[in-house]
Amino acid sequence: MWQEIVSIKGPYNFERVLERLLLDPLHAVNLEEQTLKIPLWLDAKPAVVEIKSLGNLENPAFNVSSTSETDKTKAIEAVTKILQWDQSLLNTHHHFSQTDLKELFEIHYGTPLILDFDPYSCLMKCIIHQQLNLSFAHKLTERFVHTFGFEKEGVWFYPQPEKIASLTVEELRALQFSGRKAEYAIGVSKAIVNGEIDLEVLKELPEEDIFSKLIKLKGVGPWTIQNLLMFGYGKPNLFPTGDIGIQNALKKLYNLDRKPTLEEMEKYKQPWEPYLSYAALYLWRSIE
DNA sequence: AACCAGGGAAGAT
DNA sequence: ATCTTCCATGGT
């Protein structure tokens, strides 16, 4: 049981963060209280950490607390990474003020990238969400977590890979997974359990190495890896050109009568480096 | 009623 | 190597 006040550099729009997280029914958000509860694995044990907003857009501050017996320093370190408290958005916004995304960055001023709570759940979520509309995708992940994960202090934890590796395709089909999706989720979990893939080790490698290792897994293609790099590992310069949402957003931005080609997207994105992840983030918002 | 969805594998050229 | 089809189901 502990708590600590953490002040960070603005701008940081926590209310936007909460509204966004609310789209996924698995997130423990309280808009009235301006709080978020985060499920964490610390020292191989599940712990719930609560974040409460105390500040405002330009002077953000948070009360971070936990009733779990867990290491305070490690917990705050993990939360800082997930909520990207160590990434100042000032440079980013300044950079985009001279690009085609100027207006988009004004609209989303102070909106940070938010990571998934751990790389494995990010990977499972990506596989489950492949090729599905967002509302059904969230239903599927919700069933997945409610069936095979667990709840602690009102917060849902994704299952560990050992649990999913031990399932049969039929058990996931029962949740309305396709046969393929079920095979992917189980197969990837098995690769993690048997040590073929270590997501924590992978995180430290160059992006090309992460790509070449993960692409071998059945069910893991370019889109899934890009999403893991962005939302699992928090890489700041990722642009998922294979994503339908990004393509539609660019079509809308540039008033195209068709989706942009890969070559066109490579050209558009150049001025947005090295903050491509934020460009992608706000482009997604622009079509919601 | 079609057509698409914040893809990817397997089969067919 | 590149193009096409299939997967399952909900949303529009």
Side-chain angles (χ1 to χ4, degrees):
Chain A
M1 176 100 176
W2 50 263
Q3 67 168 38
E4 175 138 332
I5 308 284
V6 178
S7 294
I8 65 166
K9 241 181 123 176
Y12 191 98
N13 193 333
F14 191 63
E15 189 159 2
R16 279 250 173 91
V17 169
L18 294 183
E19 284 167 0
R20 175 66 192 178
L21 290 174
L22 222 40
L23 292 180
D24 185 340
L26 288 166
H27 289 141
V29 170
N30 187 323
L31 269 187
E32 292 74 34
E33 303 286 329
Q34 288 284 294
T35 63
L36 165 68
K37 288 183 186 174
I38 298 184
L40 289 179
W41 286 91
L42 296 168
D43 299 319
K45 284 189 293 189
V48 174
V49 176
E50 182 175 87
I51 318 297
K52 182 174 173 61
S53 173
L54 304 173
N56 54 49
L57 180 63
E58 295 299 342
N59 292 294
F62 305 92
N63 185 45
V64 186
S65 64
S66 179
T67 55
S68 308
E69 288 183 23
T70 187
D71 187 279
K72 177 167 138 181
T73 308
K74 284 185 187 170
I76 290 179
E77 193 182 324
V79 167
T80 297
K81 180 72 180 160
I82 289 167
L83 300 180
Q84 299 274 288
W85 284 347
D86 51 352
Q87 303 294 315
S88 167
L89 288 169
L90 270 184
N91 294 340
T92 316
H93 284 297
H94 181 256
H95 177 81
F96 281 93
S97 68
Q98 299 158 33
T99 70
D100 294 345
L101 299 184
K102 178 175 188 288
E103 287 180 16
L104 215 44
F105 273 73
E106 283 167 5
I107 294 170
H108 298 285
Y109 180 73
T111 303
L113 175 70
I114 299 295
L115 306 199
D116 283 306
F117 302 145
D118 70 274
Y120 173 68
S121 50
C122 176
L123 200 47
M124 287 299 106
K125 193 159 116 183
C126 286
I127 290 172
I128 293 168
H129 284 213
Q130 285 170 1
Q131 183 62 14
L132 296 176
N133 63 72
L134 280 185
S135 70
F136 181 56
H138 283 139
K139 274 184 203 165
L140 267 190
T141 39
E142 189 179 22
R143 281 180 206 152
F144 178 77
V145 171
H146 285 181
T147 307
F148 302 114
F150 63 94
E151 191 180 8
K152 178 182 166 69
E153 301 168 38
V155 182
W156 283 97
F157 284 70
Y158 270 70
Q160 293 293 92
E162 290 77 9
K163 175 75 180 176
I164 303 309
S166 73
L167 298 181
T168 63
V169 168
E170 289 69 30
E171 285 174 282
L172 287 171
R173 289 278 298 124
L175 307 185
Q176 289 182 295
F177 279 52
S178 65
R180 291 267 176 83
K181 223 180 256 302
E183 288 168 13
Y184 298 163
I186 294 168
V188 168
S189 299
K190 280 182 174 164
I192 289 170
V193 170
N194 71 25
E196 187 184 328
I197 294 291
D198 185 329
L199 292 175
E200 293 302 328
V201 170
L202 221 53
K203 180 166 64 175
E204 308 304 331
L205 300 181
E207 287 176 21
E208 314 85 74
D209 295 352
I210 299 176
F211 198 92
S212 62
K213 286 201 190 300
L214 287 177
I215 200 76
K216 292 174 185 160
L217 298 175
K218 279 192 181 168
V220 178
W223 179 87
T224 301
I225 297 173
Q226 288 169 338
N227 271 271
L228 178 72
L229 287 170
M230 198 163 154
F231 296 109
Y233 295 157
K235 304 278 185 190
N237 198 32
L238 252 291
F239 198 71
T241 47
D243 183 281
I244 295 280
I246 293 295
Q247 294 168 11
N248 286 334
L250 289 171
K251 178 184 171 204
K252 182 179 173 188
L253 177 69
Y254 291 116
N255 284 317
L256 308 176
D257 54 3
R258 46 165 179 77
K259 285 174 191 161
T261 64
L262 185 59
E263 292 73 31
E264 286 169 331
M265 289 192 285
E266 292 294 333
K267 196 173 158 194
Y268 291 142
K269 77 178 201 188
Q270 280 175 18
W272 304 334
E273 307 234 20
Y275 307 106
L276 286 174
S277 298
Y278 290 94
L281 196 63
Y282 299 168
L283 282 168
W284 272 319
R285 304 293 168 89
S286 74
I287 51 164
E288 282 168 2

